[in-house]
Amino acid sequence: MLRRHLLTKNTVFSLTMSGSLSVVAFEGELNSIVKEYLDFGGFDKTLQDFERECEQKGKPIADLDVKSKSNQKLIGIQNELMKRFHEGKRNKYFTLWNESLPVTVRDGDSVSQKLEFYLNIYFAVYPIRFAKGQDEGEKAMQGFKQYLETRGSTLSQTTEFLPFYALPFVPSPTSHPSYKELFSDTWLKDLEVRLEKFLTLALKSTPQPKLFELYQINQLQQQLVECERKTMSYIKRHNKVQADYHNLIGVTADLVDAMEATLQGKPITPEKLQTLCSRLFSTQFHQSVDLTRPGTAGDVLRASIAPQHDDKFAYKTLDYEKVKHDMAHSTDRNKALLLQALRWRLTQSAPHLRDPVMTAFVQNDLLGCATPGEHRDVVLSLLTAPLEILRQSASRMFNAFASMSAGRTYLAQNQDLFKGLMDNLRSEDKDSITREMILGALQKLSLRRNLQTAMIDKGVIEWLVKVLEDNDSLSDYTLEYSVALLMNLCLRTAGKKRCIQNANQTLKVLSDLLGHENQEIRPYVNGALYSILAIPTIREEAKAMGMEEILRCFIKEDQPDMNRQIEFIIKQLNSTESVDEYESDDEEDEEDEEDQDAMESDLDKDEILKPEGDELSGEPLLAGGYLTRGANSARARRRQQKDFDGMNEPLRRPVTPSHRRLQDPSRKSQPRYVHRTLFLGRNTRGLKLRI
């Protein structure tokens, strides 16, 4: 027999074509919902028949936590409560009180709690006030005492009620100065008025029947879906505007540099202007333009605002088996060009295309991180290859993967990756681009707890301290990522303790960095200092070298935020807390990930790998030999080559990111993938330093 299934919030029905209804789950709750609705609507006769029939058929009726009442019944409840109040029937009064008022009102409303306290006082002195006898008086006081030890204990620290906790132990309350008022007509009348007002408001706040809620669920779900759709649309628009903004700022800086060069007698070439225009309209404009002809600039602008088609090349599917084969068996130069082209799919594509590209790379295990085997060993060997351009391409690729959350998750699967990165790091020269890229990748991977632990155990903290001793010889990129990585590792308790052996050297390096001209590193230096000063022995070493005086030298009037950070560090320096109090930092189960991905232009900076002769690079290289079958026709290759003329050169920046940020205060700093928000001080909740 054909069946349809209707699912509600808490009830499951099975409805047949003949119209018969059989409940298969939550029968008791369903019956209680029907009963609640009939009671609320005043269908008393129907309700009686319903309850009687349920009893005859053995059908359960569950008790609801909150019962809805009609206005007529609410008035009846209020009158009954006032009647029991005047009769002094404490037990019956509070039974009806608990049944009629929602738990959220009784336990969560301060007015309700205070009124309940005064009502208990009233019932405690009722036998004395109306001369009901000694036995009744003792019984009433015993009930009040029991209330004080249970529900009334929550108000024991309130000055208003503190004197009444002694009431059960006073022999003659009527003559006691603190309790004489309880027996006056004024006090009784005031309590009665307050009670009536409260009941009028509280009973009307009783929620509507659950059947009403079930009726509204579908409409609310539709509204929720629509809101989520709009939210996703707004997020995409915001990301696009943000990406365009950063691209525009970068192009503007390059144009300003070109203008300065022109003033110095160095005219800008048409090829340079072609590159700038292709970057400016990279998400919309893909054709080569002859900028030597008059009117071309206007043509470029008009073309940029004309309706454009989606950027389709990024969705071309690659033959990943051939890609991985050539990564292993091609010449070193071809391997470098292939890695460069694959990286540009991440770094030079529109922001909304990066997630699909990364997903394809991960699903096809491009770097061999998901599955141990020969391909993984081949990829790791690229980091230590004899040819510099190959080592550089490999390190840039790993850094690009680490710039995205999905990429970090993928790289973290390779337990051998850290060793390969460290071997490369220790073998490279100080000013090597390869070392910069490896440092960047390690710093971003330090968000992962298992890799944090491996870095700490392998002595990365000691290596970083040694490198930072000669910080004047480091590039801005190396300096920023080294200090940020040091801070991330020092946030861990194991990292703090690792600094004990070389405490003096570590403190000296960090204090020197406080005065470095690169202001981008200050938050990371402050975070590292604050973290390691949780160790008592390091605090003593810092005090011996006059750390507080050094810190106060960097307090300036024009930097209130930085001054607050320094004050927190000084407070930590003079603290008496032990590192054991911070052990809970290592007990966290969740990864402390950044909310957003950021693909830095530094990933493509200072490229030394250029195509020579008939060599292809970038997307034309992939289109010419690595697309899946059917996508690699001669016509397609010609179209791809035309589309990417002038676009296969990587983004270039004339100066380092930090230098440009210092020149233009309106330019936001690139994210440095810091491990977490650092809370400064255990007694300063709400005051936190965003590192």
Side-chain angles (χ1 to χ4, degrees):
M1 184 178 294
L2 180 62
R3 293 178 178 269
R4 293 183 300 163
H5 296 282
L6 173 64
L7 303 180
T8 65
K9 184 176 181 181
N10 293 310
T11 310
V12 182
F13 301 95
S14 179
L15 185 62
T16 66
M17 288 187 64
S18 61
S20 61
L21 181 67
S22 59
V23 182
V24 297
F26 304 110
E27 185 174 18
E29 184 177 355
L30 171 62
N31 291 335
S32 68
I33 291 174
V34 174
K35 175 184 174 181
E36 180 190 37
Y37 173 73
L38 295 175
D39 188 25
F40 180 84
F43 302 105
D44 297 334
K45 184 178 179 180
T46 305
L47 177 58
Q48 292 175 6
D49 293 340
F50 175 72
E51 290 178 325
R52 183 172 60 254
E53 192 167 357
C54 284
E55 184 178 358
Q56 292 173 353
K57 294 184 177 182
K59 300 294 186 181
I61 300 179
D63 291 330
L64 293 178
D65 294 335
V66 179
K67 298 180 180 179
S68 301
K69 304 289 183 182
S70 65
N71 290 335
Q72 184 178 0
K73 290 184 177 294
L74 293 177
I75 294 174
I77 292 173
Q78 182 173 346
N79 292 336
E80 184 64 23
L81 283 170
M82 294 307 299
K83 178 182 176 183
R84 295 179 183 181
F85 171 81
H86 290 122
E87 293 174 350
K89 297 180 179 180
R90 180 184 185 278
N91 293 337
K92 291 184 178 181
Y93 180 89
F94 282 112
T95 298
L96 184 58
W97 171 279
N98 293 334
E99 291 177 352
S100 306
L101 294 179
V103 177
T104 54
V105 175
R106 286 187 281 115
D107 296 341
D109 185 75
S110 60
V111 175
S112 174
Q113 292 176 333
K114 292 182 178 181
L115 182 59
E116 184 179 349
F117 195 101
Y118 280 118
L119 287 172
N120 274 277
I121 295 175
Y122 165 77
F123 286 119
V125 301
Y126 184 88
I128 302 175
R129 183 184 185 92
F130 296 101
K132 296 296 182 179
Q134 184 176 356
D135 292 341
E136 289 293 328
E138 291 178 357
K139 184 179 179 181
M141 281 296 176
Q142 186 63 30
F144 181 59
K145 183 179 179 182
Q146 184 178 1
Y147 165 77
L148 294 178
E149 294 173 351
T150 53
R151 287 182 59 82
S153 61
T154 58
L155 299 174
S156 60
Q157 303 301 319
T158 306
T159 306
E160 179 182 355
F161 300 106
L162 197 57
F164 299 109
Y165 284 83
L167 178 60
F169 307 100
V170 176
S172 180
T174 55
S175 59
H176 195 283
S178 300
Y179 309 123
K180 290 174 63 175
E181 184 186 10
L182 302 179
F183 301 93
S184 66
D185 294 338
T186 305
W187 185 85
L188 177 59
K189 187 63 177 177
D190 179 65
L191 178 61
E192 185 176 352
V193 172
R194 289 171 59 189
L195 177 59
E196 287 183 340
K197 289 182 178 179
F198 173 78
L199 291 176
T200 301
L201 296 174
L203 292 176
K204 285 185 178 180
S205 66
T206 303
Q208 62 186 8
K210 283 192 175 181
L211 190 59
F212 288 11
E213 297 178 11
L214 297 177
Y215 179 78
Q216 295 170 352
I217 283 178
N218 186 49
Q219 182 180 2
L220 293 175
Q221 287 178 337
Q222 291 178 353
Q223 293 177 358
L224 178 60
V225 170
E226 179 64 18
C227 289
E228 289 178 345
R229 186 191 65 79
K230 290 183 178 180
T231 300
M232 293 304 299
S233 174
Y234 293 147
I235 290 175
K236 290 180 180 179
R237 290 168 61 184
H238 165 76
N239 290 341
K240 183 180 183 304
V241 171
Q242 188 179 51
D244 290 343
Y245 164 76
H246 286 297
N247 184 46
L248 182 60
I249 291 296
V251 173
T252 302
D254 287 344
L255 287 173
V256 171
D257 291 339
M259 291 174 62
E260 291 178 351
T262 302
L263 293 175
Q264 296 172 4
K266 302 176 182 178
I268 183 171
T269 63
E271 292 77 10
K272 178 67 174 178
L273 190 56
Q274 169 84 46
T275 302
L276 292 176
C277 287
S278 64
R279 285 174 55 191
L280 185 59
F281 309 115
S282 60
T283 59
Q284 308 153 331
F285 185 69
H286 300 305
Q287 63 181 13
S288 179
V289 178
D290 184 3
L291 296 174
T292 61
R293 294 189 293 107
T296 302
D299 294 338
V300 171
L301 291 174
R302 284 188 292 273
S304 70
I305 61 176
Q308 301 291 336
H309 297 290
D310 290 337
D311 193 356
K312 292 184 172 57
F313 80 87
Y315 300 102
K316 296 289 185 182
T317 304
L318 299 177
D319 183 350
Y320 285 95
E321 290 302 317
K322 188 175 190 309
V323 170
K324 289 193 279 189
H325 176 273
D326 284 4
M327 287 174 64
H329 300 100
S330 184
T331 65
D332 284 356
R333 181 170 178 83
N334 288 342
K335 292 177 186 177
L337 287 169
L338 176 58
L339 288 172
Q340 182 189 63
L342 293 168
R343 167 170 44 90
W344 285 354
R345 275 203 168 189
L346 287 173
T347 61
Q348 298 192 20
S349 62
H352 68 280
L353 298 177
R354 288 171 184 160
D355 284 339
V357 171
M358 178 60 73
T359 299
F361 286 172
V362 171
Q363 289 178 346
N364 290 279
D365 198 15
L366 181 63
L367 301 182
C369 294
T371 307
E374 181 181 355
H375 183 60
R376 173 183 289 188
D377 297 334
V378 167
V379 174
L380 287 177
S381 68
L382 301 179
L383 291 170
T384 53
L387 188 64
E388 180 184 0
I389 57 174
L390 181 54
R391 295 197 308 272
Q392 190 177 119
S393 286
S395 61
R396 289 180 192 267
M397 176 63 89
F398 278 105
N399 197 6
F401 265 69
S403 297
M404 299 182 67
S405 177
R408 293 192 289 275
T409 301
Y410 171 67
L411 295 178
Q413 299 177 56
N414 187 351
Q415 301 299 321
D416 302 323
L417 174 61
F418 171 70
K419 182 179 182 301
L421 294 175
M422 287 305 302
D423 290 343
N424 179 286
L425 195 63
R426 290 190 168 100
S427 64
E428 286 292 328
D429 296 329
K430 287 185 177 181
D431 296 327
S432 164
I433 292 291
T434 302
R435 193 174 88 161
E436 289 186 3
M437 296 297 113
I438 295 295
L439 265 174
L442 284 173
Q443 201 279 329
K444 297 162 189 174
L445 289 171
S446 69
L447 298 170
R448 301 288 174 171
R449 295 185 63 79
N450 61 329
L451 290 176
Q452 287 175 10
T453 302
M455 292 179 197
I456 294 170
D457 292 341
K458 294 297 183 181
V460 174
I461 290 179
E462 292 86 341
W463 183 85
L464 288 170
V465 171
K466 184 176 180 181
V467 168
L468 290 170
E469 279 186 317
D470 186 19
N471 54 69
D472 289 334
S473 64
L474 303 178
S475 67
D476 286 338
Y477 190 95
T478 299
L479 180 63
E480 291 179 33
Y481 276 90
S482 297
V483 179
L485 175 58
L486 177 62
M487 192 208 74
N488 281 3
L489 299 181
C490 287
L491 291 177
R492 294 285 299 277
T493 301
K496 299 182 183 78
K497 293 181 177 179
R498 192 86 183 194
C499 297
I500 295 177
Q501 187 175 358
N502 299 312
N504 184 272
Q505 181 187 20
T506 304
L507 290 168
K508 185 178 183 302
V509 167
L510 291 174
S511 61
D512 288 344
L513 290 172
L514 285 172
H516 198 279
E517 62 181 3
N518 187 343
Q519 296 298 304
E520 296 292 326
I521 67 173
R522 284 289 296 276
Y524 313 134
V525 176
N526 291 343
L529 265 177
Y530 182 86
S531 296
I532 66 174
L533 288 176
I535 304 290
T537 54
I538 297 181
R539 284 202 298 264
E540 295 303 317
E541 185 69 31
K543 291 177 182 178
M545 63 185 294
M547 180 61 71
E548 183 170 350
E549 290 74 19
I550 295 174
L551 290 169
R552 294 197 180 279
C553 291
F554 295 101
I555 296 180
K556 301 176 183 179
E557 293 182 358
D558 59 346
Q559 51 175 30
D561 292 338
M562 198 61 62
N563 292 344
R564 280 193 293 272
Q565 293 182 18
I566 294 175
E567 290 295 338
F568 279 123
I569 297 173
I570 293 174
K571 183 177 179 180
Q572 178 79 306
L573 176 64
N574 296 317
S575 171
T576 58
E577 294 177 338
S578 171
V579 70
D580 292 337
E581 301 178 36
Y582 294 82
E583 287 287 349
S584 60
D585 291 347
D586 287 350
E587 300 298 327
E588 298 172 0
D589 295 326
E590 297 180 358
E591 295 291 342
D592 199 353
E593 277 286 357
E594 286 287 310
D595 292 332
Q596 296 182 349
D597 300 323
M599 199 63 65
E600 306 159 304
S601 58
D602 289 330
L603 293 167
D604 295 333
K605 74 171 186 176
D606 298 336
E607 291 262 23
I608 60 175
L609 179 60
K610 306 286 185 183
E612 298 176 354
D614 295 331
E615 288 181 334
L616 296 176
S617 66
E619 199 62 28
L621 172 62
L622 299 178
Y626 295 98
L627 297 183
T628 54
R629 183 175 300 177
N632 195 25
S633 64
R635 181 179 179 183
R637 287 198 301 271
R638 287 194 298 270
R639 183 171 63 253
Q640 292 290 342
Q641 183 66 52
K642 179 180 179 181
D643 286 347
F644 289 94
D645 282 341
M647 290 191 64
N648 54 2
E649 290 294 327
L651 294 173
R652 289 175 173 272
R653 304 173 73 179
V655 294
T656 62
S658 300
H659 182 58
R660 285 178 52 183
R661 286 195 295 274
L662 290 173
Q663 286 181 325
D664 185 1
S666 66
R667 180 178 174 84
K668 295 183 178 179
S669 301
Q670 292 283 356
R672 288 306 187 215
Y673 299 89
V674 179
H675 178 233
R676 68 185 69 172
T677 298
L678 181 64
F679 284 83
L680 296 183
R682 294 174 62 86
N683 298 321
T684 56
R685 179 171 295 182
L687 297 176
K688 56 186 178 181
L689 167 64
R690 176 68 69 179
I691 298 300

